[in-house]
Amino acid sequence: MAAEIQPKPLTRKPILLQRVEGSQEVVNMAVIVPKEEGVISVSEDRTVRVWLKRDSGQYWPSIYHVMPSPCSCMSFNPETRRLSIGLDNGTISEFLLSEDYNKMTPVKNYQAHQSRVTMILFVLELEWVLSTGQDKQFAWHCSESGQRLGGYRTSAVASGLQFDVETRHVFIGDHSGQVTILKLEQENCTLVTTFRGHTGGVTALCWDPVRRVLFSGSSDHSVIMWDIGGRKGTAIELQGHSDRVQALSYAQHTRQLISCGGDGGIVIWNMDVERQETPEWLDSDSCQKCDQPFFWNFKQMWDSKKIGLRQHHCRKCGKAVCGKCSSKRSSIPLMGFEFEVRVCDSCHEAITDEERAPTATFHDSKHNIVHVHFDATRGWLLTSGTDKVIKVGCSLILEAFRLWPCVNIQEPQDHMRSAPKLTLGNEHF
């Protein structure tokens, strides 16, 4: 039976600044308007809305624009106030917002995909619009001319897209669990490498251009931190969700990762600690502690006249052990296990209280999150969910990583896979 633990109680109450309601369908994406008391949202109800805070303290739409197709995603550049909107019919529509955010002017349309646009990125430095679609195509366009510059077919529908301006590398995560790295030029692209570490599809990507680290969230409930810039092949697992990871955001100035799950759980990870890779799971026909045979080891069972045992693995050392030799549980935060997991008896004795100190905090947003946006200038966190509600909260991330009340975490099952390993190509990052 899965063990349930309660993280340490909060010492401060959460601060929810505003609930923004009014959409008729799921709000697929929303962002906080910098330096303004406002929010921009796109929804399945085909609407683009700019919500500004009124004297009453409530958010009301200053712009209510209906698109010809459901709005699946968006990209907003606050410097130019350029808003790029991906539609269910494969079109990307570009608008320019006025300085007072009370008017949006159409600029151009891109016939980017044959079906629903899944992700958009606008790169101001290069004047590029990057996008992925359900047609399994990655494409990039010139935002000045509207011309298509190139494309690449992915192995599955892409659901994560990130770009490094300095090296012109694009990262694409897809539903097969694979992450693809491409090097983009003005009119062509080169495949650098692909890697896989999740047992489920990649649902979100997040890129830290300073430390050159890529984070990937997955439907397998995990987050993996890939050391791209170090070129060491390091992949650190973060296990803190009991449901699929839906969205990721990174607070670069405090080195904290924000991950949101389908169950409404929000985990804020302290990435400013030296984390360790989880070990490879070792193969053995008998327990590597007591030498008792496992149930498929017929020869040893016959010779010893003993019934075979079920195989488990210690999450700390990776050894194959029986249930009797791994009866203890412990959290191993520096390995990404913020909840208690199975460890062998000798590893359990070796783990100190300092090593069990948590490196993440857990919160409940009270709705199924599909997108998250963090405004670092004010420490505000925005979440949008399947309940058609947008929540804007004061995350207190600069002080104690506080947001919403704590949530219980469940221990993963024994069939959880061993740590992934990343092999990079010779391309310099």
Side-chain angles (χ1 to χ4, degrees):
M1 181 177 178
E4 211 174 73
I5 67 167
Q6 175 72 36
K8 292 182 179 180
L10 299 178
T11 57
R12 298 186 59 183
K13 292 184 179 180
I15 301 175
L16 179 62
L17 299 179
Q18 193 65 248
R19 285 171 59 96
V20 182
E21 302 178 79
S23 298
Q24 301 303 309
E25 295 292 343
V26 175
V27 179
N28 285 318
M29 200 167 286
V31 296
I32 299 170
V33 179
K35 302 178 183 179
E36 296 283 345
E37 294 276 356
V39 171
I40 303 172
S41 67
V42 295
S43 172
E44 284 290 331
D45 63 9
R46 300 190 297 134
T47 63
V48 181
R49 309 188 196 203
V50 178
W51 310 80
L52 295 182
K53 193 173 184 178
R54 306 302 183 182
D55 293 338
S56 63
Q58 298 297 314
Y59 282 77
W60 292 95
S62 63
I63 296 176
Y64 181 100
H65 185 84
V66 180
M67 302 296 292
S69 182
C71 305
S72 54
C73 56
M74 62 175 279
S75 177
F76 177 65
N77 182 265
E79 296 181 40
T80 61
R81 299 186 306 282
R82 188 179 309 192
L83 180 64
S84 304
I85 302 168
L87 302 180
D88 191 63
N89 61 13
T91 302
I92 296 175
S93 296
E94 193 173 272
F95 298 87
L96 187 64
L97 299 182
S98 61
E99 290 187 17
D100 60 3
Y101 291 94
N102 283 310
K103 181 181 180 181
M104 55 189 291
T105 304
V107 177
K108 63 173 68 73
N109 290 327
Y110 307 87
Q111 300 303 318
H113 298 276
Q114 299 299 314
S115 57
R116 184 182 179 91
V117 182
T118 55
M119 292 296 293
I120 301 176
L121 285 179
F122 170 66
V123 184
L124 177 61
E125 294 85 350
L126 301 171
E127 291 291 340
W128 286 355
V129 176
L130 315 179
S131 63
T132 56
Q134 285 190 346
D135 56 2
K136 301 182 182 179
Q137 286 288 331
F138 162 73
W140 74 103
H141 293 74
C142 174
S143 62
E144 294 180 322
S145 64
Q147 178 184 356
R148 180 186 174 98
L149 299 177
Y152 180 87
R153 184 168 181 82
T154 56
S155 60
V157 175
S159 48
L161 180 64
Q162 291 288 286
F163 183 71
D164 182 63
V165 176
E166 181 182 347
T167 62
R168 297 190 180 185
H169 286 101
V170 64
F171 307 93
I172 306 168
D174 62 45
H175 286 177
S176 73
Q178 179 174 287
V179 177
T180 302
I181 304 180
L182 305 174
K183 175 67 176 291
L184 299 189
E185 303 296 344
Q186 186 62 29
E187 295 184 358
N188 62 78
C189 68
T190 305
L191 175 64
V192 177
T193 188
T194 61
F195 51 89
R196 186 190 303 269
H198 293 287
T199 58
V202 175
T203 52
L205 292 180
C206 189
W207 172 244
D208 176 8
V210 176
R211 301 175 70 187
R212 313 200 69 72
V213 168
L214 181 71
F215 300 97
S216 62
S218 172
S219 58
D220 65 10
H221 308 179
S222 73
V223 178
I224 298 179
M225 180 181 74
W226 306 92
D227 180 15
I228 302 295
R231 303 178 64 194
K232 299 177 181 178
T234 305
I236 305 295
E237 289 188 77
L238 303 175
Q239 299 283 347
H241 288 278
S242 58
D243 203 336
R244 59 186 287 127
V245 178
Q246 299 271 64
L248 297 173
S249 186
Y250 187 66
Q252 186 174 299
H253 60 301
T254 56
R255 292 188 179 181
Q256 290 159 17
L257 177 70
I258 305 165
S259 60
C260 302
D263 58 355
I266 298 177
V267 183
I268 301 180
W269 306 86
N270 178 14
M271 303 309 300
D272 198 22
V273 294
E274 192 66 30
R275 294 186 177 273
Q276 306 167 14
E277 280 191 284
T278 50
E280 292 278 5
W281 283 4
L282 302 179
D283 293 325
S284 179
D285 290 330
S286 58
C287 176
Q288 293 180 301
K289 292 293 184 179
C290 67
D291 201 38
Q292 292 294 309
F294 293 133
F295 62 83
W296 61 82
N297 189 351
F298 298 111
K299 184 179 184 306
Q300 188 176 346
M301 282 193 295
W302 176 264
D303 293 341
S304 62
K305 300 297 187 291
K306 293 181 179 179
I307 298 176
L309 305 175
R310 179 184 175 188
Q311 177 184 259
H312 300 282
H313 282 93
C314 173
R315 301 303 192 268
K316 184 170 176 59
C317 66
K319 289 183 178 180
V321 291
C322 66
K324 184 178 179 181
C325 294
S326 59
S327 59
K328 303 293 196 312
R329 301 290 188 275
S330 175
S331 60
I332 321 174
L334 294 183
M335 283 187 169
F337 298 113
E338 293 288 336
F339 37 60
E340 293 186 340
V341 291
R342 181 184 295 274
V343 293
C344 65
D345 293 350
S346 56
C347 283
H348 185 271
E349 293 177 3
I351 299 174
T352 64
D353 291 339
E354 289 77 11
E355 291 177 312
R356 292 188 177 95
T359 63
T361 56
F362 301 86
H363 319 275
D364 188 3
S365 68
K366 306 300 183 183
H367 67 160
N368 185 339
I369 298 172
V370 296
H371 179 72
V372 62
H373 177 241
F374 178 65
D375 180 5
T377 60
R378 288 174 286 188
W380 288 4
L381 188 67
L382 175 149
T383 59
S384 59
T386 56
D387 57 0
K388 313 171 189 176
V389 174
I390 302 169
K391 292 186 178 182
V392 182
C394 180
S395 69
L396 305 178
I397 194 170
L398 297 178
E399 300 179 27
F401 327 132
R402 311 286 198 242
L403 184 63
W404 282 289
C406 284
V407 60
N408 288 337
I409 309 293
Q410 283 195 337
E411 175 189 338
Q413 300 302 309
D414 279 337
H415 62 262
M416 184 180 68
R417 49 88 179 100
S418 58
K421 300 298 176 184
L422 168 62
T423 302
L424 295 177
N426 296 323
E427 181 72 19
H428 175 67
F429 286 85

